[in-house]
Amino acid sequence: MNHDDDGKDNGKERGTPNGGTAVQLTRKDFESDQEVRWCPGCGDYAILRAFHVMFAKLGIPREQIVVVSGIGCSSRLPYYVDTYGFHTIHGRAPAVATGIKVANPGLSVWIATGDGDGLSIGGNHLIHVLRRNVDVKIVLFNNRIYGLTKGQYSPTSEQGKKTKSTPFGSAENPFNPLSVALGAEATFVARTVDVFTQHLLAVLEAAAAHRGAAFVEVYQNCNIFNDGAFDFMRGKEVRDENTLDLQHGKPILFGKQLEKGLRLRGTGVEVVNVQETGLDDVLVHDAHAEDPTLAFLLSRLGPPELPTPIGILRSVERPVLDQSMHEQVNEVVARKGPGNLEALLHSGDTWTV
């Protein structure tokens, strides 16, 4: 099905999460009437626009979409999309989203979080929503700084980073969000960049189509407190040399003319000139591999020696928690009959005080 950038489609019907008839909506249908309170020039605007366009393309009624967030600049997003939303407490968006999805599996549930919200106070909740494979989509805005509280270092700030809370440089080793997600056995793991408009939109659409927990890291520029954090690969003049755009089933190539490739060397990789070596030894990307070893290896790549991977690192199928829970409940009810909550509460080791 063809769409334009405003999310208009050609009028054909599509399915919805609840199995109903799809609706035709545009990007503007998802713009809320709330004043957007991000700093001028913030990368969040590009991500917000991608949400509006992506939701319009999905053809899902607005009342079947829920956006959940924690605390931080990114977590203001539910106010700015005209769907149901929940601005909850710091780091707890995965727990609230899990409850929503389990209670109503037909909803399309999204989590907007940041590197501080998702990987610091909410780190425990994040890894378990991924491990459980709840059918929710997690978009982590990574600007490598605490922007809302005006510039403290975050779990993804690089070692040596000087901020208001680390005036002599951070002594900590930062998290690699993709490695964390893969280590938690996430079934969908991807990375994109705020200014790569079409790439950002394509990754979000792929996450929406995935059945299970989808984790998307977005490199997002904070032009006030961490400006230029990703300039090493965002600009047109450096993108081809420093970015690895992963495509399932295709050789892993980069460079202006795709003249460079990656091949295995021991337990790591090395860069080769494919015009000299050919393609025989060049790694072919398999996003659907059950074994996450290669995806984890790719997640570790980056400057200064190697390009930064973007795109879908892993996309595999596994039973989702919300469906498994309902199947279990139905099986027990069929075997033992409907339960009685009051009787349950007054059974077993209970007593009156």
Side-chain angles (χ1 to χ4, degrees):
M1 180 171 291
N2 296 321
H3 306 267
D4 61 27
D5 281 347
D6 285 336
K8 299 175 182 176
D9 61 31
N10 59 13
K12 295 181 180 178
E13 292 184 349
R14 286 164 286 169
T16 71
N18 280 326
T21 302
V23 295
Q24 296 182 27
L25 299 169
T26 69
R27 170 174 61 86
K28 293 188 179 299
D29 290 319
F30 287 93
E31 295 177 354
S32 78
D33 60 359
Q34 300 297 299
E35 179 187 358
V36 180
R37 294 186 176 183
W38 286 322
C39 303
C42 176
D44 287 358
Y45 288 96
I47 303 174
L48 175 61
R49 186 182 187 282
F51 264 83
H52 290 153
V53 175
M54 181 265 300
F55 281 151
K57 286 189 171 188
L58 294 181
I60 300 173
R62 290 178 295 183
E63 63 270 21
Q64 291 184 18
I65 299 173
V66 185
V67 184
V68 186
S69 69
I71 297 296
C73 295
S74 63
S75 294
R76 298 191 63 80
L77 190 130
Y79 294 107
Y80 307 144
V81 289
D82 196 5
T83 65
Y84 282 111
F86 202 130
H87 189 180
T88 181
I89 56 178
H90 216 341
R92 303 306 189 258
V96 174
T98 297
I100 294 170
K101 188 65 183 181
V102 169
N104 191 341
L107 297 175
S108 177
V109 181
W110 292 74
I111 295 172
T113 186
D115 45 306
D117 182 65
L119 294 171
S120 183
I121 196 167
N124 189 41
H125 294 263
L126 178 69
I127 60 175
H128 288 291
V129 77
L130 295 173
R131 171 181 67 83
R132 291 165 175 152
N133 199 33
V134 184
D135 187 24
V136 298
K137 319 307 167 192
I138 304 154
V139 182
L140 185 139
F141 300 28
N142 183 7
N143 56 19
R144 295 180 175 172
I145 203 78
Y146 278 96
L148 188 68
T149 48
K150 305 189 184 310
Q152 298 82 18
Y153 78 117
S154 85
T156 57
S157 296
E158 61 272 28
Q159 200 168 39
K161 181 72 176 179
K162 292 184 178 180
T163 70
K164 292 178 178 177
S165 56
T166 54
F168 303 107
S170 169
E172 298 181 11
N173 191 46
F175 259 139
N176 179 321
L178 299 186
S179 298
V180 171
L182 289 164
E185 301 286 345
T187 54
F188 183 101
V189 178
R191 176 190 282 148
T192 184
V193 186
D194 54 2
V195 293
F196 297 174
T197 309
Q198 294 304 315
H199 190 271
L200 169 62
L201 182 58
V203 168
L204 292 182
E205 288 186 274
H210 178 73
R211 193 160 184 277
F215 178 82
V216 178
E217 177 190 24
V218 184
Y219 278 173
Q220 173 255 322
N221 192 48
C222 174
N223 57 322
I224 302 300
F225 297 108
N226 201 20
D227 193 24
F230 305 106
D231 281 356
F232 65 91
M233 45 87 76
R234 288 170 86 240
K236 290 182 179 178
E237 67 282 3
V238 295
R239 176 175 175 173
D240 292 335
E241 290 297 321
N242 296 328
T243 302
L244 198 63
D245 192 357
L246 298 169
Q247 305 287 331
H248 172 71
K250 294 185 178 180
I252 300 177
L253 303 173
F254 67 104
K256 193 171 291 296
Q257 304 298 323
L258 297 180
E259 74 280 8
K260 301 175 185 176
L262 295 183
R263 70 180 178 189
L264 289 174
R265 182 178 183 183
T267 57
V269 297
E270 65 177 358
V271 177
V272 297
N273 187 324
V274 296
Q275 295 172 343
E276 298 173 356
T277 64
L279 290 172
D280 290 348
D281 293 335
V282 173
L283 284 168
V284 175
H285 183 47
D286 183 1
H288 305 320
E290 285 295 326
D291 187 338
T293 302
L294 182 58
F296 189 84
L297 175 63
L298 293 171
S299 77
R300 311 302 296 169
L301 305 185
E305 290 86 8
L306 293 165
T308 299
I310 62 172
I312 301 169
L313 278 75
R314 189 178 198 224
S315 179
V316 297
E317 295 184 5
R318 209 174 69 207
V320 296
L321 178 75
D322 29 302
Q323 180 183 1
S324 299
M325 288 183 66
H326 281 274
E327 288 175 351
Q328 185 182 61
V329 169
N330 292 336
E331 189 273 331
V332 173
V333 169
R335 186 159 43 90
K336 294 191 171 184
N340 184 309
L341 182 59
E342 185 173 356
L344 176 65
L345 292 174
H346 291 85
S347 65
D349 296 328
T350 61
W351 61 91
T352 301
V353 177

